[in-house]
Amino acid sequence: MRIARFSIDGNVAFGAVEGEAIDIIKGIPFADFELSGTRIPLDKVRLLPPVLPNKVVAIGRNYAEHAAELGNEVPAAPWAFFKPSTSVVGPGDPIVYPTFSREVHHEAELAVVIGRLCREVPRERVKDVILGYTCANDVTARDTQKAEKQWARAKGFDSSCPLGPWIETGLDLAAASDLAITATVNGELRQAGRTSQMINSIEDLIVNITEAMTLLPGDVILTGTPAGVGPLHVGDEVAVTIEGIGTLTNKVIKRD
């Protein structure tokens, strides 16, 4: 099932995407729910970020070729950092170019959406805490990342975490662990990889993260980006496509 969060006539709801329509969900996707049978054409709604996470836990340098292209070593263990909830935007929302940077990059990533409260998850239970998967773009102010020891500003600025277009719940762990992932800018292919190239698997990441912190329903884990990251400029349209999930498209604009 593809679960989307959307707005129509000032109201916000979750729905199941079925072809070119969306069936409104009774309840929330983090608990038992029913489909209402009320179907709305997709072109009549505005898709929102599929979740509003309490926290986004992102993983750096989880693809060897990406680490190499930036001259970095592969870390010995998962390298986690946070992106604030205020960085999250949805499909079609603008990426606002930060005024403090002159070098902003795209980073196409598979995002894992957590479905239940969990801590200290054993490897054999990882599948039970995942609601589904979506597309993400870990937009990064690369010059700021290089200049500052902490990555908070470089990766946490407003609109630096596009998510969407929906959550795909029909992928099991085996399938999610070998998906094609691409990024295009103005139609030009920039990134092309597979999630099977991750150094630390989805299971590795959830086990590692939940050793330290509780994950809440709707929290998001960004699993790293393949090689090919590159610059974004005002006016560019960047699209992240993940096999079996969909395409997340955003345009870069100048801050007013």
Side-chain angles (χ1 to χ4, degrees):
M1 180 180 290
R2 287 178 168 174
I3 297 174
R5 183 171 160 270
F6 68 96
S7 66
I8 184 170
D9 298 329
N11 298 307
V12 175
F14 287 99
V17 177
E18 301 172 344
E20 296 302 314
I22 190 164
D23 193 334
I24 297 175
I25 285 174
K26 292 181 179 179
I28 59 173
F30 309 109
D32 292 338
F33 64 84
E34 297 178 356
L35 298 180
S36 68
T38 302
R39 293 169 58 86
I40 305 171
L42 267 178
D43 61 6
K44 300 296 184 183
V45 307
R46 178 190 171 202
L47 291 179
L48 302 173
V51 287
L52 291 178
N54 173 271
K55 54 186 170 293
V56 177
V57 186
I59 304 298
R61 304 175 188 173
N62 200 28
Y63 288 72
E65 289 185 5
H66 167 59
E69 73 180 344
L70 296 180
N72 297 315
E73 295 182 356
V74 173
W79 190 327
F81 59 93
F82 293 106
K83 293 174 82 80
S85 58
T86 48
S87 69
V88 174
V89 294
D93 288 339
I95 297 167
V96 182
Y97 206 107
T99 56
F100 57 82
S101 175
R102 295 294 180 270
E103 186 185 5
V104 171
H105 283 193
H106 57 82
E107 294 192 7
E109 309 206 6
L110 174 71
V112 181
V113 181
I114 298 300
R116 63 179 64 179
L117 185 147
C118 58
R119 191 176 190 279
E120 296 184 341
V121 180
R123 184 172 297 272
E124 64 273 14
R125 295 294 303 277
V126 164
K127 64 183 184 301
D128 300 327
V129 307
I130 297 173
L131 175 65
Y133 304 88
T134 193
C135 305
N137 193 344
D138 177 18
V139 184
T140 302
R142 192 70 70 200
D143 50 352
T144 306
Q145 183 187 26
K146 294 174 182 176
E148 299 178 359
K149 292 183 179 180
Q150 294 284 344
W151 293 359
R153 294 206 313 155
K155 287 180 171 284
F157 61 88
D158 291 354
S159 75
S160 66
C161 190
L163 296 175
W166 40 63
I167 304 165
E168 175 57 67
T169 67
L171 295 170
D172 61 20
L173 265 172
S177 297
D178 189 20
L179 299 173
I181 178 170
T182 63
T184 63
V185 177
N186 303 324
E188 175 192 353
L189 182 64
R190 292 278 190 85
Q191 291 181 267
R194 300 195 69 86
T195 57
S196 56
Q197 296 170 313
M198 290 182 195
I199 297 165
N200 300 286
S201 68
I202 295 167
E203 295 100 315
D204 294 334
L205 299 180
I206 291 179
V207 169
N208 178 271
I209 292 166
T210 62
E211 284 177 340
M213 70 190 72
T214 300
L215 295 178
L216 305 179
D219 280 351
V220 171
I221 298 171
L222 304 190
T223 58
T225 193
V229 301
L232 292 172
H233 304 285
V234 172
D236 284 347
E237 184 175 83
V238 55
V240 175
T241 300
I242 302 180
E243 178 185 4
I245 299 176
T247 298
L248 168 67
T249 303
N250 302 90
K251 191 167 184 177
V252 183
I253 67 169
K254 183 179 180 180
R255 184 176 295 280
D256 293 335

Tab-separated table of all heavy atoms in Angstrom, residues 39-99:
chain	number	residue	atom	x	y	z
A	39	ARG	N	-12.980	8.322	-2.442
A	39	ARG	CA	-11.836	8.440	-3.335
A	39	ARG	C	-11.805	9.832	-3.962
A	39	ARG	O	-12.839	10.332	-4.421
A	39	ARG	CB	-11.891	7.363	-4.420
A	39	ARG	CG	-11.701	5.955	-3.879
A	39	ARG	CD	-12.034	4.897	-4.923
A	39	ARG	NE	-11.229	5.035	-6.121
A	39	ARG	CZ	-10.013	4.500	-6.280
A	39	ARG	NH1	-9.467	3.788	-5.301
A	39	ARG	NH2	-9.345	4.664	-7.404
A	40	ILE	N	-10.612	10.413	-3.957
A	40	ILE	CA	-10.413	11.754	-4.504
A	40	ILE	C	-9.331	11.672	-5.576
A	40	ILE	O	-8.293	11.039	-5.347
A	40	ILE	CB	-9.978	12.733	-3.403
A	40	ILE	CG1	-10.978	12.730	-2.244
A	40	ILE	CG2	-9.825	14.145	-3.970
A	40	ILE	CD1	-10.494	13.502	-1.037
A	41	PRO	N	-9.534	12.281	-6.729
A	41	PRO	CA	-8.470	12.287	-7.743
A	41	PRO	C	-7.188	12.910	-7.186
A	41	PRO	O	-7.243	13.934	-6.495
A	41	PRO	CB	-9.060	13.131	-8.876
A	41	PRO	CG	-10.544	13.042	-8.687
A	41	PRO	CD	-10.749	12.962	-7.200
A	42	LEU	N	-6.070	12.291	-7.501
A	42	LEU	CA	-4.793	12.803	-6.990
A	42	LEU	C	-4.537	14.240	-7.424
A	42	LEU	O	-3.929	15.017	-6.686
A	42	LEU	CB	-3.647	11.906	-7.484
A	42	LEU	CG	-3.207	10.768	-6.571
A	42	LEU	CD1	-2.107	9.957	-7.236
A	42	LEU	CD2	-2.738	11.285	-5.218
A	43	ASP	N	-4.991	14.581	-8.620
A	43	ASP	CA	-4.715	15.940	-9.102
A	43	ASP	C	-5.584	16.999	-8.417
A	43	ASP	O	-5.445	18.184	-8.696
A	43	ASP	CB	-4.857	16.020	-10.624
A	43	ASP	CG	-6.250	15.672	-11.132
A	43	ASP	OD1	-7.166	15.468	-10.305
A	43	ASP	OD2	-6.425	15.580	-12.359
A	44	LYS	N	-6.456	16.575	-7.503
A	44	LYS	CA	-7.283	17.523	-6.759
A	44	LYS	C	-6.744	17.782	-5.348
A	44	LYS	O	-7.310	18.591	-4.608
A	44	LYS	CB	-8.718	17.003	-6.643
A	44	LYS	CG	-9.420	16.783	-7.975
A	44	LYS	CD	-9.594	18.081	-8.740
A	44	LYS	CE	-10.387	17.848	-10.027
A	44	LYS	NZ	-10.509	19.108	-10.820
A	45	VAL	N	-5.677	17.075	-4.966
A	45	VAL	CA	-5.127	17.238	-3.626
A	45	VAL	C	-3.697	17.752	-3.712
A	45	VAL	O	-3.053	17.667	-4.763
A	45	VAL	CB	-5.165	15.918	-2.827
A	45	VAL	CG1	-6.569	15.328	-2.827
A	45	VAL	CG2	-4.154	14.912	-3.361
A	46	ARG	N	-3.219	18.265	-2.611
A	46	ARG	CA	-1.809	18.638	-2.492
A	46	ARG	C	-1.126	17.617	-1.606
A	46	ARG	O	-1.506	17.447	-0.442
A	46	ARG	CB	-1.670	20.027	-1.880
A	46	ARG	CG	-0.206	20.446	-1.684
A	46	ARG	CD	-0.088	21.701	-0.862
A	46	ARG	NE	1.294	21.977	-0.514
A	46	ARG	CZ	1.687	22.731	0.495
A	46	ARG	NH1	0.782	23.294	1.285
A	46	ARG	NH2	2.968	22.923	0.750
A	47	LEU	N	-0.138	16.925	-2.153
A	47	LEU	CA	0.605	15.965	-1.352
A	47	LEU	C	1.541	16.708	-0.399
A	47	LEU	O	2.252	17.635	-0.803
A	47	LEU	CB	1.413	15.026	-2.247
A	47	LEU	CG	0.604	14.036	-3.089
A	47	LEU	CD1	1.537	13.186	-3.940
A	47	LEU	CD2	-0.278	13.153	-2.225
A	48	LEU	N	1.541	16.265	0.851
A	48	LEU	CA	2.371	16.849	1.898
A	48	LEU	C	3.493	15.877	2.247
A	48	LEU	O	3.499	14.738	1.756
A	48	LEU	CB	1.504	17.100	3.140
A	48	LEU	CG	0.278	18.006	2.946
A	48	LEU	CD1	-0.568	18.007	4.213
A	48	LEU	CD2	0.698	19.412	2.567
A	49	PRO	N	4.443	16.281	3.089
A	49	PRO	CA	5.395	15.272	3.571
A	49	PRO	C	4.609	14.095	4.136
A	49	PRO	O	3.647	14.308	4.886
A	49	PRO	CB	6.165	16.015	4.670
A	49	PRO	CG	6.012	17.456	4.342
A	49	PRO	CD	4.667	17.609	3.702
A	50	PRO	N	4.967	12.874	3.788
A	50	PRO	CA	4.143	11.735	4.197
A	50	PRO	C	4.075	11.525	5.702
A	50	PRO	O	3.146	10.889	6.196
A	50	PRO	CB	4.797	10.547	3.498
A	50	PRO	CG	6.187	10.992	3.174
A	50	PRO	CD	6.101	12.462	2.944
A	51	VAL	N	5.039	12.062	6.439
A	51	VAL	CA	5.016	12.080	7.906
A	51	VAL	C	5.624	13.389	8.385
A	51	VAL	O	6.363	14.052	7.653
A	51	VAL	CB	5.816	10.899	8.530
A	51	VAL	CG1	5.080	9.594	8.357
A	51	VAL	CG2	7.227	10.829	7.971
A	52	LEU	N	5.282	13.759	9.624
A	52	LEU	CA	5.950	14.865	10.307
A	52	LEU	C	6.761	14.249	11.439
A	52	LEU	O	6.263	14.078	12.558
A	52	LEU	CB	4.925	15.869	10.844
A	52	LEU	CG	4.182	16.676	9.788
A	52	LEU	CD1	3.161	17.590	10.454
A	52	LEU	CD2	5.152	17.495	8.938
A	53	PRO	N	8.009	13.890	11.180
A	53	PRO	CA	8.788	13.134	12.177
A	53	PRO	C	9.143	13.963	13.394
A	53	PRO	O	9.403	15.160	13.301
A	53	PRO	CB	10.043	12.729	11.397
A	53	PRO	CG	10.159	13.734	10.303
A	53	PRO	CD	8.758	14.122	9.946
A	54	ASN	N	9.182	13.291	14.530
A	54	ASN	CA	9.743	13.902	15.730
A	54	ASN	C	11.222	14.167	15.518
A	54	ASN	O	11.755	15.182	15.970
A	54	ASN	CB	9.508	12.984	16.927
A	54	ASN	CG	10.206	13.441	18.192
A	54	ASN	OD1	11.358	13.085	18.440
A	54	ASN	ND2	9.504	14.228	18.991
A	55	LYS	N	11.887	13.230	14.823
A	55	LYS	CA	13.305	13.392	14.497
A	55	LYS	C	13.628	12.637	13.219
A	55	LYS	O	13.008	11.623	12.903
A	55	LYS	CB	14.201	12.912	15.639
A	55	LYS	CG	13.942	11.488	16.109
A	55	LYS	CD	14.790	11.176	17.340
A	55	LYS	CE	14.379	9.858	17.990
A	55	LYS	NZ	13.030	9.909	18.590
A	56	VAL	N	14.596	13.165	12.511
A	56	VAL	CA	15.171	12.492	11.345
A	56	VAL	C	16.603	12.127	11.715
A	56	VAL	O	17.419	13.001	12.002
A	56	VAL	CB	15.162	13.400	10.101
A	56	VAL	CG1	15.829	12.694	8.917
A	56	VAL	CG2	13.748	13.818	9.740
A	57	VAL	N	16.883	10.831	11.741
A	57	VAL	CA	18.235	10.356	12.020
A	57	VAL	C	18.865	9.990	10.681
A	57	VAL	O	18.381	9.090	9.983
A	57	VAL	CB	18.229	9.130	12.952
A	57	VAL	CG1	19.658	8.755	13.334
A	57	VAL	CG2	17.406	9.398	14.204
A	58	ALA	N	19.900	10.695	10.318
A	58	ALA	CA	20.541	10.484	9.021
A	58	ALA	C	21.902	9.822	9.214
A	58	ALA	O	22.555	9.997	10.248
A	58	ALA	CB	20.702	11.814	8.293
A	59	ILE	N	22.309	9.068	8.210
A	59	ILE	CA	23.565	8.330	8.268
A	59	ILE	C	24.511	8.853	7.194
A	59	ILE	O	24.161	8.900	6.008
A	59	ILE	CB	23.327	6.817	8.066
A	59	ILE	CG1	22.335	6.292	9.100
A	59	ILE	CG2	24.652	6.060	8.141
A	59	ILE	CD1	22.773	6.418	10.540
A	60	GLY	N	25.700	9.244	7.608
A	60	GLY	CA	26.693	9.756	6.674
A	60	GLY	C	27.645	8.672	6.188
A	60	GLY	O	27.916	7.708	6.904
A	61	ARG	N	28.094	8.829	4.960
A	61	ARG	CA	29.159	7.989	4.393
A	61	ARG	C	28.824	6.502	4.462
A	61	ARG	O	29.645	5.682	4.862
A	61	ARG	CB	30.496	8.282	5.086
A	61	ARG	CG	30.879	9.763	5.024
A	61	ARG	CD	32.134	10.088	5.814
A	61	ARG	NE	32.344	11.530	5.872
A	61	ARG	CZ	33.275	12.138	6.601
A	61	ARG	NH1	34.095	11.410	7.338
A	61	ARG	NH2	33.389	13.437	6.594
A	62	ASN	N	27.606	6.152	4.045
A	62	ASN	CA	27.177	4.759	4.103
A	62	ASN	C	27.303	4.068	2.755
A	62	ASN	O	26.885	2.923	2.606
A	62	ASN	CB	25.731	4.666	4.613
A	62	ASN	CG	25.403	3.284	5.147
A	62	ASN	OD1	26.267	2.552	5.617
A	62	ASN	ND2	24.130	2.911	5.068
A	63	TYR	N	27.857	4.775	1.768
A	63	TYR	CA	28.195	4.194	0.467
A	63	TYR	C	29.671	4.509	0.228
A	63	TYR	O	30.078	5.680	0.267
A	63	TYR	CB	27.361	4.802	-0.655
A	63	TYR	CG	25.903	4.378	-0.683
A	63	TYR	CD1	24.993	4.841	0.259
A	63	TYR	CD2	25.423	3.526	-1.681
A	63	TYR	CE1	23.655	4.471	0.228
A	63	TYR	CE2	24.083	3.157	-1.737
A	63	TYR	CZ	23.208	3.636	-0.783
A	63	TYR	OH	21.881	3.267	-0.834
A	64	ALA	N	30.473	3.500	-0.033
A	64	ALA	CA	31.926	3.679	-0.128
A	64	ALA	C	32.312	4.651	-1.236
A	64	ALA	O	33.199	5.496	-1.056
A	64	ALA	CB	32.607	2.327	-0.344
A	65	GLU	N	31.644	4.554	-2.398
A	65	GLU	CA	32.021	5.425	-3.518
A	65	GLU	C	31.678	6.883	-3.223
A	65	GLU	O	32.377	7.796	-3.678
A	65	GLU	CB	31.335	4.955	-4.797
A	65	GLU	CG	31.892	3.633	-5.331
A	65	GLU	CD	31.280	3.242	-6.664
A	65	GLU	OE1	30.494	4.038	-7.227
A	65	GLU	OE2	31.581	2.137	-7.150
A	66	HIS	N	30.613	7.119	-2.473
A	66	HIS	CA	30.287	8.495	-2.104
A	66	HIS	C	31.327	9.048	-1.135
A	66	HIS	O	31.776	10.194	-1.270
A	66	HIS	CB	28.904	8.568	-1.467
A	66	HIS	CG	28.622	9.880	-0.797
A	66	HIS	ND1	28.651	11.078	-1.473
A	66	HIS	CD2	28.324	10.185	0.498
A	66	HIS	CE1	28.389	12.063	-0.637
A	66	HIS	NE2	28.193	11.553	0.567
A	67	ALA	N	31.718	8.246	-0.155
A	67	ALA	CA	32.771	8.699	0.758
A	67	ALA	C	34.044	9.042	-0.010
A	67	ALA	O	34.677	10.078	0.231
A	67	ALA	CB	33.054	7.619	1.806
A	68	ALA	N	34.380	8.193	-0.980
A	68	ALA	CA	35.603	8.396	-1.748
A	68	ALA	C	35.536	9.653	-2.599
A	68	ALA	O	36.538	10.373	-2.744
A	68	ALA	CB	35.873	7.179	-2.621
A	69	GLU	N	34.359	9.937	-3.189
A	69	GLU	CA	34.274	11.083	-4.097
A	69	GLU	C	34.484	12.407	-3.364
A	69	GLU	O	34.867	13.402	-3.977
A	69	GLU	CB	32.939	11.087	-4.847
A	69	GLU	CG	31.738	11.464	-4.028
A	69	GLU	CD	30.437	11.443	-4.820
A	69	GLU	OE1	30.502	11.428	-6.064
A	69	GLU	OE2	29.350	11.430	-4.198
A	70	LEU	N	34.248	12.407	-2.053
A	70	LEU	CA	34.478	13.611	-1.260
A	70	LEU	C	35.783	13.550	-0.483
A	70	LEU	O	36.072	14.402	0.348
A	70	LEU	CB	33.310	13.844	-0.303
A	70	LEU	CG	31.951	14.118	-0.951
A	70	LEU	CD1	30.892	14.334	0.118
A	70	LEU	CD2	32.016	15.308	-1.892
A	71	GLY	N	36.589	12.508	-0.739
A	71	GLY	CA	37.885	12.375	-0.098
A	71	GLY	C	37.807	11.962	1.354
A	71	GLY	O	38.720	12.272	2.139
A	72	ASN	N	36.751	11.245	1.721
A	72	ASN	CA	36.564	10.833	3.111
A	72	ASN	C	36.768	9.329	3.272
A	72	ASN	O	36.531	8.559	2.339
A	72	ASN	CB	35.149	11.176	3.580
A	72	ASN	CG	34.887	12.669	3.568
A	72	ASN	OD1	35.722	13.451	4.020
A	72	ASN	ND2	33.734	13.075	3.063
A	73	GLU	N	37.175	8.939	4.463
A	73	GLU	CA	37.281	7.522	4.774
A	73	GLU	C	35.920	6.977	5.190
A	73	GLU	O	35.055	7.714	5.668
A	73	GLU	CB	38.293	7.300	5.902
A	73	GLU	CG	39.721	7.675	5.525
A	73	GLU	CD	40.694	7.394	6.661
A	73	GLU	OE1	40.233	6.983	7.757
A	73	GLU	OE2	41.911	7.576	6.455
A	74	VAL	N	35.734	5.688	5.012
A	74	VAL	CA	34.509	5.038	5.474
A	74	VAL	C	34.586	4.875	6.986
A	74	VAL	O	35.570	4.329	7.495
A	74	VAL	CB	34.327	3.672	4.786
A	74	VAL	CG1	33.146	2.918	5.387
A	74	VAL	CG2	34.153	3.850	3.282
A	75	PRO	N	33.602	5.336	7.733
A	75	PRO	CA	33.658	5.191	9.194
A	75	PRO	C	33.545	3.731	9.613
A	75	PRO	O	32.937	2.908	8.920
A	75	PRO	CB	32.454	6.004	9.678
A	75	PRO	CG	31.550	6.110	8.501
A	75	PRO	CD	32.405	6.072	7.284
A	76	ALA	N	34.106	3.419	10.758
A	76	ALA	CA	34.111	2.041	11.243
A	76	ALA	C	32.738	1.590	11.711
A	76	ALA	O	32.454	0.391	11.747
A	76	ALA	CB	35.116	1.900	12.387
A	77	ALA	N	31.874	2.523	12.085
A	77	ALA	CA	30.518	2.225	12.542
A	77	ALA	C	29.585	3.261	11.933
A	77	ALA	O	30.040	4.300	11.422
A	77	ALA	CB	30.456	2.270	14.069
A	78	PRO	N	28.275	3.013	11.943
A	78	PRO	CA	27.343	4.002	11.388
A	78	PRO	C	27.566	5.392	11.982
A	78	PRO	O	27.730	5.542	13.188
A	78	PRO	CB	25.971	3.437	11.778
A	78	PRO	CG	26.186	1.957	11.861
A	78	PRO	CD	27.570	1.795	12.415
A	79	TRP	N	27.592	6.380	11.102
A	79	TRP	CA	27.893	7.754	11.478
A	79	TRP	C	26.578	8.531	11.419
A	79	TRP	O	26.133	8.936	10.355
A	79	TRP	CB	28.907	8.333	10.499
A	79	TRP	CG	29.496	9.648	10.878
A	79	TRP	CD1	28.898	10.663	11.552
A	79	TRP	CD2	30.815	10.097	10.575
A	79	TRP	NE1	29.744	11.726	11.693
A	79	TRP	CE2	30.923	11.406	11.105
A	79	TRP	CE3	31.896	9.541	9.916
A	79	TRP	CZ2	32.094	12.160	10.989
A	79	TRP	CZ3	33.055	10.285	9.797
A	79	TRP	CH2	33.165	11.583	10.322
A	80	ALA	N	25.963	8.747	12.571
A	80	ALA	CA	24.628	9.337	12.615
A	80	ALA	C	24.684	10.832	12.917
A	80	ALA	O	25.553	11.317	13.633
A	80	ALA	CB	23.773	8.631	13.658
A	81	PHE	N	23.730	11.555	12.353
A	81	PHE	CA	23.511	12.953	12.689
A	81	PHE	C	22.010	13.221	12.564
A	81	PHE	O	21.257	12.375	12.066
A	81	PHE	CB	24.326	13.888	11.781
A	81	PHE	CG	24.028	13.750	10.307
A	81	PHE	CD1	23.090	14.560	9.685
A	81	PHE	CD2	24.690	12.802	9.526
A	81	PHE	CE1	22.816	14.437	8.326
A	81	PHE	CE2	24.423	12.676	8.170
A	81	PHE	CZ	23.487	13.493	7.572
A	82	PHE	N	21.573	14.393	13.018
A	82	PHE	CA	20.147	14.713	13.010
A	82	PHE	C	19.832	15.810	11.999
A	82	PHE	O	20.629	16.727	11.791
A	82	PHE	CB	19.686	15.190	14.393
A	82	PHE	CG	19.733	14.140	15.457
A	82	PHE	CD1	20.721	14.159	16.433
A	82	PHE	CD2	18.780	13.133	15.498
A	82	PHE	CE1	20.763	13.198	17.420
A	82	PHE	CE2	18.822	12.159	16.487
A	82	PHE	CZ	19.808	12.189	17.448
A	83	LYS	N	18.655	15.709	11.429
A	83	LYS	CA	18.062	16.823	10.697
A	83	LYS	C	16.783	17.190	11.449
A	83	LYS	O	15.982	16.313	11.788
A	83	LYS	CB	17.735	16.425	9.251
A	83	LYS	CG	18.985	16.151	8.413
A	83	LYS	CD	18.643	15.618	7.036
A	83	LYS	CE	18.285	16.700	6.052
A	83	LYS	NZ	19.465	17.385	5.473
A	84	PRO	N	16.575	18.466	11.767
A	84	PRO	CA	15.414	18.838	12.578
A	84	PRO	C	14.105	18.678	11.816
A	84	PRO	O	14.081	18.649	10.579
A	84	PRO	CB	15.684	20.308	12.924
A	84	PRO	CG	16.569	20.801	11.836
A	84	PRO	CD	17.414	19.632	11.433
A	85	SER	N	13.019	18.587	12.556
A	85	SER	CA	11.709	18.446	11.924
A	85	SER	C	11.393	19.631	11.018
A	85	SER	O	10.660	19.494	10.033
A	85	SER	CB	10.625	18.299	12.994
A	85	SER	OG	10.618	19.418	13.864
A	86	THR	N	11.959	20.796	11.327
A	86	THR	CA	11.718	21.991	10.515
A	86	THR	C	12.413	21.944	9.158
A	86	THR	O	12.164	22.799	8.306
A	86	THR	CB	12.170	23.248	11.275
A	86	THR	OG1	13.485	23.033	11.807
A	86	THR	CG2	11.217	23.565	12.410
A	87	SER	N	13.280	20.945	8.960
A	87	SER	CA	13.929	20.804	7.651
A	87	SER	C	13.061	20.045	6.653
A	87	SER	O	13.353	20.031	5.456
A	87	SER	CB	15.277	20.078	7.800
A	87	SER	OG	15.088	18.716	8.152
A	88	VAL	N	11.991	19.418	7.139
A	88	VAL	CA	11.186	18.523	6.306
A	88	VAL	C	10.205	19.308	5.439
A	88	VAL	O	9.471	20.176	5.929
A	88	VAL	CB	10.422	17.511	7.182
A	88	VAL	CG1	9.465	16.675	6.335
A	88	VAL	CG2	11.405	16.608	7.924
A	89	VAL	N	10.212	19.000	4.149
A	89	VAL	CA	9.222	19.503	3.199
A	89	VAL	C	8.726	18.329	2.367
A	89	VAL	O	9.285	17.232	2.430
A	89	VAL	CB	9.780	20.628	2.294
A	89	VAL	CG1	10.106	21.875	3.109
A	89	VAL	CG2	11.014	20.145	1.532
A	90	GLY	N	7.687	18.553	1.592
A	90	GLY	CA	7.078	17.475	0.837
A	90	GLY	C	7.321	17.562	-0.656
A	90	GLY	O	8.054	18.429	-1.138
A	91	PRO	N	6.706	16.668	-1.411
A	91	PRO	CA	6.857	16.677	-2.865
A	91	PRO	C	6.288	17.960	-3.457
A	91	PRO	O	5.216	18.416	-3.071
A	91	PRO	CB	6.048	15.451	-3.311
A	91	PRO	CG	5.091	15.191	-2.195
A	91	PRO	CD	5.784	15.616	-0.944
A	92	GLY	N	7.050	18.553	-4.354
A	92	GLY	CA	6.611	19.789	-4.977
A	92	GLY	C	6.910	21.036	-4.186
A	92	GLY	O	6.788	22.154	-4.701
A	93	ASP	N	7.289	20.886	-2.915
A	93	ASP	CA	7.647	22.052	-2.116
A	93	ASP	C	9.018	22.567	-2.538
A	93	ASP	O	9.882	21.802	-2.976
A	93	ASP	CB	7.687	21.697	-0.630
A	93	ASP	CG	6.308	21.463	-0.039
A	93	ASP	OD1	5.327	21.947	-0.627
A	93	ASP	OD2	6.220	20.800	1.009
A	94	PRO	N	9.267	23.859	-2.371
A	94	PRO	CA	10.569	24.393	-2.774
A	94	PRO	C	11.676	24.055	-1.789
A	94	PRO	O	11.444	23.944	-0.583
A	94	PRO	CB	10.325	25.910	-2.813
A	94	PRO	CG	9.222	26.139	-1.839
A	94	PRO	CD	8.336	24.920	-1.931
A	95	ILE	N	12.871	23.886	-2.337
A	95	ILE	CA	14.099	23.878	-1.548
A	95	ILE	C	14.621	25.308	-1.577
A	95	ILE	O	14.934	25.836	-2.654
A	95	ILE	CB	15.145	22.922	-2.140
A	95	ILE	CG1	14.645	21.474	-2.110
A	95	ILE	CG2	16.478	23.046	-1.401
A	95	ILE	CD1	15.483	20.517	-2.943
A	96	VAL	N	14.673	25.939	-0.417
A	96	VAL	CA	15.080	27.345	-0.355
A	96	VAL	C	16.585	27.421	-0.155
A	96	VAL	O	17.117	26.938	0.853
A	96	VAL	CB	14.345	28.083	0.776
A	96	VAL	CG1	14.741	29.556	0.789
A	96	VAL	CG2	12.831	27.948	0.609
A	97	TYR	N	17.271	27.997	-1.122
A	97	TYR	CA	18.737	28.068	-1.088
A	97	TYR	C	19.169	28.919	0.108
A	97	TYR	O	18.785	30.077	0.217
A	97	TYR	CB	19.253	28.692	-2.388
A	97	TYR	CG	20.655	28.286	-2.752
A	97	TYR	CD1	20.902	27.399	-3.789
A	97	TYR	CD2	21.750	28.791	-2.063
A	97	TYR	CE1	22.190	27.022	-4.127
A	97	TYR	CE2	23.041	28.424	-2.391
A	97	TYR	CZ	23.251	27.531	-3.429
A	97	TYR	OH	24.525	27.154	-3.756
A	98	PRO	N	19.960	28.349	1.026
A	98	PRO	CA	20.331	29.109	2.230
A	98	PRO	C	21.254	30.278	1.895
A	98	PRO	O	22.162	30.159	1.063
A	98	PRO	CB	21.042	28.062	3.093
A	98	PRO	CG	21.547	27.040	2.125
A	98	PRO	CD	20.547	26.996	1.012
A	99	THR	N	21.040	31.392	2.584
A	99	THR	CA	21.821	32.597	2.296
A	99	THR	C	23.275	32.462	2.721
A	99	THR	O	24.138	33.187	2.214
A	99	THR	CB	21.203	33.803	3.021
A	99	THR	OG1	21.119	33.521	4.426
A	99	THR	CG2	19.797	34.085	2.499
